[in-house]
Amino acid sequence: MKEYTFEELGYFAERECEAIKEQLQGHSYMNFDITWSNCAGNCTLIVRTDYEDSEKEIKNFFLHCALGMIFQLKK
């Protein structure tokens, strides 16, 4: 399983990472596995998947799914 670290998004609180995991764990055909690295309360989001594609495409699709979740929750 490959890991993709979202350093470009900055740091999250652990509760924010937990909420992201709750919504997107196992989501889509990429079967996302969500985790994070916690350094003194500053968490960097990490997404794992076995799906074969470029890092850019996997990260873009994850962000697309995450943003789509906002609209689903708002309904």
Side-chain angles (χ1 to χ4, degrees), residues 1-6 30-35 46-55 58-59:
M1 190 168 277
K2 294 181 185 174
E3 283 190 355
Y4 303 92
T5 304
F6 283 84
M30 288 190 184
N31 193 25
F32 296 126
D33 179 34
I34 317 295
T35 189
I46 300 170
V47 174
R48 299 177 184 152
T49 183
D50 285 328
Y51 192 80
E52 291 295 326
D53 208 337
S54 69
E55 179 176 1
I58 289 174
K59 284 183 168 186

Side-chain angles (χ1 to χ4, degrees), residues 8-71:
E8 62 270 29
L9 296 179
Y11 297 114
F12 294 92
E14 192 160 14
R15 63 180 172 73
E16 293 168 327
C17 291
E18 289 169 355
I20 292 169
K21 182 173 183 161
E22 183 179 308
Q23 293 300 313
L24 292 170
Q25 180 72 24
H27 191 76
S28 87
Y29 57 89
M30 288 190 184
N31 193 25
F32 296 126
D33 179 34
I34 317 295
T35 189
W36 53 90
S37 172
N38 187 342
C39 181
N42 297 313
C43 300
T44 303
L45 188 65
I46 300 170
V47 174
R48 299 177 184 152
T49 183
D50 285 328
Y51 192 80
E52 291 295 326
D53 208 337
S54 69
E55 179 176 1
K56 180 180 178 182
E57 290 301 315
I58 289 174
K59 284 183 168 186
N60 284 344
F61 187 69
F62 177 80
L63 292 174
H64 173 80
C65 291
L67 290 172
M69 239 355 123
I70 293 170
F71 296 112

